[in-house]
């Protein structure tokens, strides 16, 4: 393990909820919960104000509503979150070529590999400047942990929450870890934690005192060795630069099981189109089409078909997904559907549109060509009412941009405000009001010409410390 605390872990604070609060001035300082709003929805992120009431990520939404009935409950806006995440990751890549994203809002950075930090002072300076740059570019806050290893850097960022920076000084690691619960360590989940508790081990200090032989006896060779090393604050895992995507997929969970076969077919076609949108957005194509179906009894089936070459053609992918669906019994009802593409490449084989007319490999399901599928699964009629979802961006021809607070009984309530405005006024309209339409997300920060603080100091000869940022 290196000696200098040059591994940085960034965790954006309550990311989805913080984006919504920054977008909607009337929600700042208030409880906000983002997630699926249907009966089977779960919490994706809760603001710190909502966490006071015991609302946490992955909690059933119904339980969250009981605990915090007055919170604002909003659908996720993943396009917005992804865009802001890309801005944050770009700032991290200015620090080092070794950036390991863990999710949209979390990543490790090897500062030493980028020449950005080489000792405690330069590491702290890089962390301070990064947090300032994130706030300047996105308007949001992030918590930074700095340490000599990935495990300790992540622990430090947890201690820094919210909106802080913690650096673990070399030589203090074991004293810091000793009183912490064993669940703090990577690889110790509920089952392993319970197993250790039954053996009388609840803290990291007790884990170290148990000794390597005892941990191997309790947990097996690989797990026992790894946990003993971590209990001694040893973690040699490197920061691994972002890996290429192995697959692109989309899926939807339905509030009410779908029984109608035509509806299931329409949903698969819609998911295939969304999947193609993601493929093209990433400049990719793929050879293997995958269909995922979770049935009424929670059994999950996957079916796949490999094409002759990579494609991003929506007709080809729709057709392959329809063929795969033919092999799945959905008569009992469907809870979840997904369409994915694997075997990714950065090029497309142009002659794949003729797939329907060609014989397929053994085991593939034969089906009608695209035209026949289109006849069997007609396009849905335009709905009589538009459906507005809480948190959705909208625009009114008279009142301008706003967001949906709620809808029902043929009415939709909209609050008109922008990220830069004071809390706005609320107005109610008919759901079919022609003056109201879906809107584009507004930027959280308006000035694109921000001058960011320097984030890459040059180490002088001998790594003499530069002035700190306090």
């Amino acid at each position: 393990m290196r000696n200098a605390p040059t591994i940085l872990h960034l965790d954006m604070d309550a990311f989805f909820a913080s984006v919504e609060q920054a977008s909607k001035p009337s929600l700042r300082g208030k409880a906000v919960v983002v997630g699926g709003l249907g009966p089977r929805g779960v919490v994706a992120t809760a603001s710190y104000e909502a966490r006071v009431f015991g609302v946490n990520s992955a909690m059933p939404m119904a339980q969250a509503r009981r605990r915090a009935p007055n919170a604002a409950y909003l659908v996720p806006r993943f396009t917005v979150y992804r865009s802001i995440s890309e801005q944050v990751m770009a700032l991290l890549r200015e620090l080092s070529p070794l950036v390991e994203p863990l999710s949209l809002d979390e990543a490790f950075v090897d500062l030493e590999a980028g020449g950005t930090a080489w000792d405690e002072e330069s590491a702290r300076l890089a962390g301070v400047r990064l947090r300032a740059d994130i706030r300047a570019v996105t308007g949001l806050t992030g918590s930074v942990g700095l340490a000599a290893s990935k495990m300790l850097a992540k622990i430090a960022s947890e201690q820094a929450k919210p909106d802080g920076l913690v650096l673990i000084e070399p030589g203090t690691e074991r004293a810091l870890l000793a009183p912490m619960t064993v669940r703090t360590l990577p690889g110790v989940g509920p089952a392993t934690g319970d197993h250790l508790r039954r053996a009388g081990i609840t803290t990291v200090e007790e884990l170290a005192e148990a000794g390597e032989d005892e941990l191997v006896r309790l947990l097996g060779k690989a797990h026992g060795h790894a946990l003993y090393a971590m209990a001694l604050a040893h973690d040699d895992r490197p920061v691994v630069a972002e890996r290429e995507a192995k697959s692109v997929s989309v899926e939807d969970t339905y509030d009410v099981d779908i029984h109608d076969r035509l509806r299931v077919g329409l949903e698969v076609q819609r998911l295939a189109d969304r999947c193609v949108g993601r493929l093209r957005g990433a400049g990719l194509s793929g050879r293997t089409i995958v269909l995922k179906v979770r049935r009424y009894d929670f059994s999950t089936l996957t079916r796949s078909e490999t094409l002759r070459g990579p494609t991003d053609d929506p007709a080809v992918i729709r057709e392959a997904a329809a063929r795969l669906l033919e092999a799945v019994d959905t008569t009992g009802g469907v809870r979840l559907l997904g369409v994915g593409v694997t075997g990714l490449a950065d090029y497309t084989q142009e002659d794949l549109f003729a797939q329907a007319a060609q014989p397929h490999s053994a085991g593939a399901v034969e089906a009608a060509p695209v035209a026949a599928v289109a006849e069997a699964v007609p396009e849905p009629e335009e709905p009589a009412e538009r459906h507005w979802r809480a948190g959705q961006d909208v625009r009114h021809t008279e009142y301008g941009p706003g967001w949906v607070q709620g809808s029902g009984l043929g009415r939709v309530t909209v609050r008109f405000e922008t990220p830069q405005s004071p809390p706005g006024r609320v107005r109610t309209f008919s759901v079919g009001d022609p003056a109201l339409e879906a809107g584009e997300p507004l930027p959280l920060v308006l000035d694109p010409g921000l001058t960011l603080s320097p984030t890459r100091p040059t180490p002088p000869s001998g790594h003499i410390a530069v002035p700190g940022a306090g």
Side-chain angles (χ1 to χ4, degrees):
M1 188 175 74
R2 69 186 72 198
N3 293 321
T6 55
I7 299 295
L8 180 149
H9 181 261
L10 170 71
D11 198 342
M12 299 296 290
D13 300 320
F15 183 48
F16 297 173
S18 293
V19 171
E20 299 304 337
Q21 289 176 319
S23 300
K24 303 169 173 63
S26 58
L27 297 183
R28 293 171 190 168
K30 298 182 180 179
V32 174
V33 180
V34 178
L37 303 186
R40 294 176 183 159
V42 297
V43 175
T45 307
S47 70
Y48 287 99
E49 296 85 355
R51 295 179 193 186
V52 172
F53 298 97
V55 179
N56 297 301
S57 299
M59 174 181 290
M61 192 61 77
Q63 183 180 356
R65 289 183 184 275
R66 290 193 295 270
R67 293 190 177 189
N70 296 320
Y73 289 87
L74 309 176
V75 295
R77 297 185 299 153
F78 286 110
T79 301
V80 179
Y81 309 149
R82 197 170 290 111
S83 173
I84 295 172
S85 173
E86 289 171 357
Q87 291 178 304
V88 173
M89 296 301 166
L91 292 174
L92 297 182
R93 292 186 186 95
E94 292 179 7
L95 296 174
S96 174
L98 288 185
V99 176
E100 182 178 343
L102 304 179
S103 62
L104 289 177
D105 60 343
E106 186 180 2
F108 286 110
V109 184
D110 188 330
L111 299 176
E112 189 174 22
T116 310
W118 49 92
D119 58 11
E120 293 178 43
E121 197 168 3
S122 57
R124 187 183 298 275
L125 180 62
V128 168
R129 288 173 169 168
L130 172 65
R131 294 180 59 242
D133 288 348
I134 288 173
R135 186 184 288 274
V137 170
T138 70
L140 304 175
T141 64
S143 295
V144 167
L146 292 156
S149 70
K150 291 169 71 172
M151 175 186 73
L152 292 166
K154 184 171 176 62
I155 289 172
S157 70
E158 286 296 320
Q159 293 184 328
K161 281 183 167 292
D163 190 20
L165 182 151
V166 168
L167 182 148
I168 298 177
E169 298 179 1
T172 67
E173 296 95 345
R174 289 198 61 181
L176 175 76
L177 287 175
M180 293 183 175
T181 170
V182 294
R183 291 289 305 277
T184 304
L185 301 182
V188 182
T192 302
D194 287 343
H195 190 54
L196 291 170
R197 179 181 53 78
R198 290 193 294 270
I201 301 171
T202 59
T203 67
V204 176
E205 182 176 29
E206 291 168 345
L207 200 63
E209 290 174 348
E212 188 171 12
D213 291 343
E214 176 65 6
L215 295 180
V216 168
R217 186 186 69 81
L218 288 171
L219 304 172
K221 187 174 181 179
H223 205 180
H225 280 311
L227 282 188
Y228 182 67
M230 289 182 181
L232 300 180
H234 297 159
D235 177 19
D236 295 327
R237 293 174 300 159
V239 174
V240 180
E242 185 174 9
R243 299 176 179 89
E244 292 184 4
K246 295 183 178 179
S247 65
V248 173
S249 63
V250 296
E251 61 182 46
D252 276 344
T253 301
Y254 304 101
D255 295 338
V256 178
D257 291 349
I258 303 176
H259 292 83
D260 182 73
R261 184 74 177 184
L262 291 180
R263 168 79 188 286
V264 173
L266 283 171
E267 290 295 318
V268 168
Q269 301 289 285
R270 183 178 60 82
L271 290 166
D273 287 341
R274 283 174 53 196
C275 186
V276 168
R278 290 192 180 182
L279 270 178
R280 290 182 167 179
L284 297 170
S285 59
R287 295 185 66 229
T288 301
I289 315 304
V290 181
L291 175 71
K292 177 179 178 182
V293 180
R294 181 167 298 146
R295 299 187 294 189
Y296 69 98
D297 59 358
F298 286 92
S299 62
T300 302
L301 305 175
T302 58
R303 298 288 183 268
S304 64
E305 176 183 317
T306 298
L307 307 175
R308 295 193 308 275
T311 185
D312 66 353
D313 190 307
V316 173
I317 294 175
R318 279 198 303 264
E319 179 195 352
R323 281 196 299 272
L324 294 169
L325 179 62
E326 289 297 318
V328 179
D329 179 8
T330 63
T331 53
V334 170
R335 305 173 67 90
L336 175 147
L337 289 168
V339 174
V341 177
T342 65
L344 301 182
D346 56 2
Y347 65 94
T348 301
Q349 186 167 310
E350 298 296 343
D351 65 350
L352 286 175
F353 189 80
Q355 276 281 336
Q358 302 296 328
H360 302 286
S361 58
V365 179
E366 296 292 330
V370 175
V373 173
E375 290 177 5
V377 186
E379 289 296 316
E381 296 180 2
E382 185 70 22
E385 285 189 354
R386 288 181 290 174
H387 296 282
W388 303 104
R389 304 187 300 167
Q392 178 182 352
D393 294 293
V394 295
R395 177 173 287 276
H396 192 276
T397 54
E398 179 180 354
Y399 301 111
W403 58 278
V404 174
Q405 277 200 325
S407 64
L409 302 176
R411 313 291 286 176
V412 56
T413 301
V414 177
R415 185 180 288 272
F416 292 97
E417 58 187 5
T418 72
Q420 291 75 36
S421 76
R425 297 187 62 180
V426 174
R427 297 184 182 275
T428 300
F429 307 93
S430 164
V431 294
D433 192 324
L436 187 67
E437 61 183 7
E440 292 295 322
L442 299 176
L444 303 187
V445 175
L446 285 181
D447 184 5
L450 288 168
T451 301
L452 303 184
S453 56
T455 55
R456 189 183 290 274
T458 302
S461 176
H463 285 183
I464 299 171
V466 297

